[in-house]
Amino acid sequence: VEFAEHRQYRPGDHIKHLDWKVFARTGRFYVKQFEEETNLRSVIAIDSSASMGFASGDNISKLEYASYLAASIAFLLIKQRDAVGLATYDTKINKYLPPRSKQSYIHEILKTLDATSPQNQTGTATALDLLAERISRRGLVVIMSDFLDDPNSVLNALKHFRHRKHEVIAFQVLDPREIDFDFGHGANFKDLETGEELVTQPYHIRKSYARQMSSFTANIKKECREHNIDFNVISTKTPFDKALRDYLTKRNRM
């Protein structure tokens, strides 16, 4: 066990955790808290590949949106004395902060989120498999990505966490235009990860795109539901605080 911090003694606390040296100095009872005594150990994983840098109109990028969401969840977890860690990934794990419950740890998480920028190609399955092997203790894993990758490999990666007995929450963060494909009459599309370009008439393929995207998301939702994975789709058009409040309300009802 690793010492985390002191807190004031409350009736019901075991006296073996009383810090008598602090009592000798202050005349007050304080107990020691350790990392292993937290209620929950969690890791928030954020996709930082180049596609997460996309933003349309006045909307913020998917990565910035996911960062705000991750910071809020991390703050809530630490406030209730749970341990939280952070991982950023593209084709590999770029940064990993192991779960800690110290109040000051939120600053390290915020600093890491602020320094994260979208780059490289997407390798969701490979990176998440590596992360699943890295997290040794059972806990909560929160994953934020656009999940615009091979659906079978994404699902297998999510199932890997369940195989290791983790609770899994997945947030698919999408820009509004990725949902409705409302790009007007003519557009030049450029892949943020490969640089490949395509000139097309969006209104000609809008219905076909909507069917494909709906089928893609519905399939992931169905598979996740069957494996007890909490899958949620969020648009960057929705204020992140409202999206989080709505999700927590739904989770509380469950």
Side-chain angles (χ1 to χ4, degrees):
V1 294
E2 180 181 348
F3 173 73
E5 58 189 345
H6 287 98
R7 70 164 172 78
Q8 213 161 3
Y9 172 82
R10 293 196 293 259
D13 288 336
H14 204 293
I15 61 171
K16 73 176 182 179
H17 297 311
L18 284 172
D19 193 323
W20 296 108
K21 291 182 179 179
V22 172
F23 174 74
R25 292 197 306 270
T26 66
R28 296 181 178 180
F29 291 111
Y30 284 88
V31 295
K32 293 180 179 180
Q33 284 198 306
F34 301 90
E35 289 292 348
E36 298 302 327
E37 293 180 357
T38 58
N39 296 323
L40 178 71
R41 295 176 68 84
S42 57
V43 173
I44 302 173
I46 294 184
D47 179 355
S48 60
S49 60
S51 69
M52 291 292 286
F54 177 66
S56 66
D58 296 329
N59 299 301
I60 62 176
S61 74
K62 293 181 285 185
L63 179 58
E64 188 175 0
Y65 190 96
S67 296
Y68 288 142
L69 202 58
S72 302
I73 293 173
F75 179 78
L76 291 174
L77 288 167
I78 287 180
K79 286 291 285 183
Q80 64 185 28
R81 300 189 180 278
D82 289 325
V84 62
L86 176 71
T88 62
Y89 69 89
D90 41 56
T91 56
K92 62 183 187 302
I93 300 173
N94 294 318
K95 186 72 174 181
Y96 179 72
L97 300 177
R100 296 282 186 270
S101 61
K102 292 186 295 185
Q103 295 284 325
S104 59
Y105 201 50
I106 188 66
H107 300 296
E108 188 70 22
I109 291 173
L110 294 178
K111 185 168 68 174
T112 300
L113 288 171
D114 188 53
T116 301
S117 58
Q119 57 187 346
N120 301 327
Q121 294 188 0
T122 302
T124 305
T126 301
L128 292 183
D129 280 336
L130 291 172
L131 182 61
E133 293 297 327
R134 190 162 186 173
I135 304 174
S136 57
R137 292 181 58 84
R138 188 169 59 183
L140 171 68
V141 178
V142 182
I143 304 165
M144 300 182 189
S145 170
D146 54 20
F147 292 114
L148 298 180
D149 203 343
D150 176 66
N152 290 327
S153 60
V154 169
L155 285 167
N156 286 334
L158 294 177
K159 292 174 188 176
H160 191 170
F161 289 106
R162 290 294 298 140
H163 177 72
R164 297 181 68 86
K165 309 300 183 184
H166 297 293
E167 181 182 358
V168 182
I169 302 173
F171 290 104
Q172 184 179 32
V173 181
L174 297 173
D175 185 90
R177 300 293 80 80
E178 292 175 323
I179 298 173
D180 60 25
F181 209 66
D182 187 10
F183 288 102
H185 289 277
N188 179 28
F189 294 94
K190 181 176 181 179
D191 191 313
L192 293 172
E193 297 182 4
T194 66
E196 182 181 356
E197 294 191 31
L198 175 67
V199 179
T200 188
Q201 304 294 321
Y203 70 95
H204 280 159
I205 60 175
R206 186 176 179 183
K207 289 183 178 178
S208 177
Y209 174 89
R211 285 195 301 269
Q212 292 290 331
M213 176 59 86
S214 177
S215 175
F216 174 82
T217 303
N219 181 55
I220 292 182
K221 280 185 176 180
K222 175 178 174 291
E223 290 288 327
C224 285
R225 188 164 54 246
E226 291 177 357
H227 291 84
N228 293 319
I229 297 169
D230 191 354
F231 187 86
N232 307 269
V233 180
I234 297 179
S235 168
T236 57
K237 184 179 180 180
T238 305
F240 77 91
D241 57 328
K242 181 181 184 304
L244 181 58
R245 186 169 60 249
D246 290 346
Y247 173 73
L248 292 176
T249 300
K250 182 194 80 171
R251 186 174 173 86
N252 188 51
R253 287 199 301 265
M254 294 169 58

